[in-house]
């Protein structure tokens, strides 16, 4: 191993050392998210090959020892000698930013974070095994301790296959967890299969023997069908395609009978979750087409105003997937997940405008169905605006804005310290009112029925007493008008019984917030209170303790020296004001669950499934996902 101590090698180790010193700089974090980043870094290299037309199958295996194996059947990483007599493959795994040199100007995933990350993965792994089939041989090299080569790249045997196989073992001392999440990886694998037609993606979890295969011949259409599952569809799926200015663009559209818009965009197969120029082009093209077609066909009368963007996007599911060659790629924003490339706007605007207008002209019935939907959206929007103007006029005459009579307000005027408890039932509401901290905690008991916002029309939602009270109390309007800057409470806490009804109310409220006040969830302002499940007391009542789960309960049981009894709380109503305050409301003792959205696509699907007609699906979900025994954070879509 004479090459081990030459100068380029020392530089290499210093480079990888920098990654180990500040992993966050390279992979964002060292938690579960950062751990999965390692998978994306390796996977994206194999996906890039497929994207450029090499290989039609990728396998991912989660091994029992928490290592990950990724295999492709493409060209194989180049093994020819590079500078200083080091093979190209070794340079790739030991040098930071060595990605670009080998690829030419094909399509590259993302704005630079991916594709060059194999050395970062190596640096953060205790072991990495590389097997390459190429140039008539199988080659292999292994690294340990974050990038030190155990062996040089060696010819193992003759082989006429081609492809690359990488196995890496994440470093337990660097990551807070090395337990890979099947669902998270599967979602990404399936998404990739949706985006690259005819690419076979296999995922195997050796820990429990699970295996799934994803392969689609018309992936984007199947992606839209997947997202629209269990929603009522308004039109037949529309597909638009073009190749212009060197940019390959595909747009797939489906309107559903819901009130939200879901526009999901990808650039070179990487999600651009903050949108960017392609989404801007899509939106302006769509508004233009629908207005123009409606005018030309008298679907809008002369006296009618034009459709606004939100009207033509209500209920839409759209996937925009574009391929941009590397020299045109520009990303913006902190996370580089917003496309800057100005050409993307004109390309997408043009295909939507030209091709959609053409399709509308070809199929008037389909066009009319979509435009009728936009018309309803426009009517509701105009009605809400009118109603708001009138209520503003009324309010001018009164000093205090009339709030719901049911609200017990708090004294503080600072939203940052104010908490709004949404409490199931009047009796628990009464206890909460007595037991609260008057300064910061406001109580709003929910008596009536919360409507299922997945089913109801927007007007009916505004008419629903419970929801309109919540909207007024939070004080930041609703829907497209919702203004997160105006919220009057920085914690909105849902407090229900720990039973099926309570869970159902939670889901109804969360669905409402998700659909109509989503920034409230995204900003982390929504919480779920956790009342204790047990109280354990000595018979003389001198000592009593609350327990939130069985584990805690048995801990207290083992500590008891005198005779004791256990009370199991079935609902908030069984606690008096001081008990409720002590256990569930008091900042010092309570356990709150912050509601997060980890993945919009998945949340979207779950919400639809949950709020659809099938009661048994809902019951099953509640049983499986709302687990009062072990919960740190409750995520819509992901547990
Ligand atoms: F990330 C990684 F390096 F570890 C990795 C790379 C992991 C896996 C599973 C696959 C790959 C990978 C890389 N698969 N295929 C390739 N292809 C190339 O690196 C390659 C091959 C040939 C040529 C050429 O111009 O002839 C160019 C490239 C980029």
């Amino acid at each position: 191993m004479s090459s081990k101590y030459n100068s380029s090698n020392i530089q290499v180790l210093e480079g990888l050392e920098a990654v180990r010193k500040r992993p966050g700089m390279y992979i964002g974090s060292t938690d579960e998210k950062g751990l999965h980043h390692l998978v994306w870094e390796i996977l994206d290299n194999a996906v890039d090959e497929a994207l450029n037309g090499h290989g039609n199958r990728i396998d991912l295996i989660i091994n029992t020892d928490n290592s990950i194996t990724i295999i492709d059947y493409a060209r194989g990483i180049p093994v020819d000698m590079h500078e200083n007599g080091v093979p190209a493959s070794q340079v790739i795994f030991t040098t930071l930013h060595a990605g670009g040199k080998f690829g030419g100007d094909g399509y590259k995933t993302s704005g630079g974070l991916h594709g060059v990350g194999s050395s970062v993965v190596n640096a953060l792994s205790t072991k990495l095994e590389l097997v390459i089939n190429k140039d008539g041989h199988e080659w292999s090299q292994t690294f340990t301790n974050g990038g030190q080569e155990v062996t040089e790249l060696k010819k193992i045997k003759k082989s006429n296959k081609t492809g690359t196989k990488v196995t890496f073992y994440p470093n337990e001392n660097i990551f807070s967890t090395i337990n890979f999440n099947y669902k998270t990886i599967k979602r990404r694998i399936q998404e990739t299969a949706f985006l690259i037609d005819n690419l076979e993606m296999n995922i195997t979890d050796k820990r429990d023997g699970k295996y799934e295969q994803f392969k689609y011949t018309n992936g984007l259409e199947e992606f839209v069908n997947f997202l629209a599952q269990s929603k009522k569809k308004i039109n037949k799926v529309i597909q638009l395609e073009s190749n212009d200015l060197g940019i390959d663009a595909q747009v797939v559209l489906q309107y559903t009978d819901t009130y939200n818009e879901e526009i999901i965009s990808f650039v070179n197969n990487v999600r651009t979750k903050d949108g960017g120029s392609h989404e801007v082009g899509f939106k302006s093209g769509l508004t233009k087409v629908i207005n123009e077609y409606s005018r030309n066909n008298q679907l809008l009368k002369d006296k009618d105003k034009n459709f606004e963007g939100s009207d033509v996007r209500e209920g839409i599911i759209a996937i925009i997937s574009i391929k941009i060659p590397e020299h045109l790629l520009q990303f913006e924003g902190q996370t580089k997940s917003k496309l800057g490339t100005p050409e993307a706007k004109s390309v997408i605007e043009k295909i939507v405008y030209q091709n959609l207008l053409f399709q509308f002209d070809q199929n008037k019935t389909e066009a009319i169905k979509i435009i009728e939907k936009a018309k309803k959206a426009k009517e509701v929007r105009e009605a809400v605006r009118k109603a708001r103007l009138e209520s503003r006029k009324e309010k001018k005459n009164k000093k205090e804005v009339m709030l719901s009579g049911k609200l017990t307000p708090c004294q503080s005027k600072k939203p940052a310290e104010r908490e709004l408890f949404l409490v199931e039932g009047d009796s628990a509401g009464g206890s909460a009112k007595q037991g609260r901290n008057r300064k910061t905690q406001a109580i709003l008991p929910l008596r009536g029925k919360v409507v299922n916002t997945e089913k109801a029309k927007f007007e009916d939602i505004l008419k629903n007493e419970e929801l309109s009270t919540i909207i007024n109390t939070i004080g930041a309007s609703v829907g497209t008008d919702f203004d997160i800057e105006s919220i009057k409470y920085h914690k909105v806490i849902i407090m229900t019984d720990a039973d099926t009804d309570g869970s159902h109310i939670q889901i109804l409220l969360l669905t409402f917030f998700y659909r109509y006040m989503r920034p409230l969830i995204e900003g982390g302002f929504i919480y779920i209170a956790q009342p204790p499940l047990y109280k354990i007391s000595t018979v003389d009542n001198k000592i009593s303790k609350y327990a939130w789960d069985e584990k805690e309960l048995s801990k207290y049981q083992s500590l008891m020296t005198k005779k004791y009894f256990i009370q199991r709380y079935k609902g908030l109503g069984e606690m008096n004001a001081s008990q409720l305050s002590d256990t569930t409301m008091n900042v010092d003792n309570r356990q709150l669950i912050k509601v997060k959205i980890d993945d919009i696509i998945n949340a979207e699907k779950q919400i639809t499934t949950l709020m659809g007609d099938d009661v048994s699906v809902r019951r099953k979900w509640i049983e499986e996902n709302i687990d009062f025994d072990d919960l740190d954070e409750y995520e819509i879509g992901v547990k």
Side-chain angles (χ1 to χ4, degrees), residues 75-79 132-139 159 161-163:
R75 292 174 294 178
I77 301 179
V79 292
I132 298 167
N133 278 285
K134 197 183 178 74
D135 300 343
H137 285 91
E138 179 181 305
W139 310 73
S159 160
K161 293 184 207 148
T162 61

Side-chain angles (χ1 to χ4, degrees), residues 99 121 199 457 557 625:
V121 175
L199 174 63
K457 292 209 180 103
Q557 279 177 288
N625 288 279

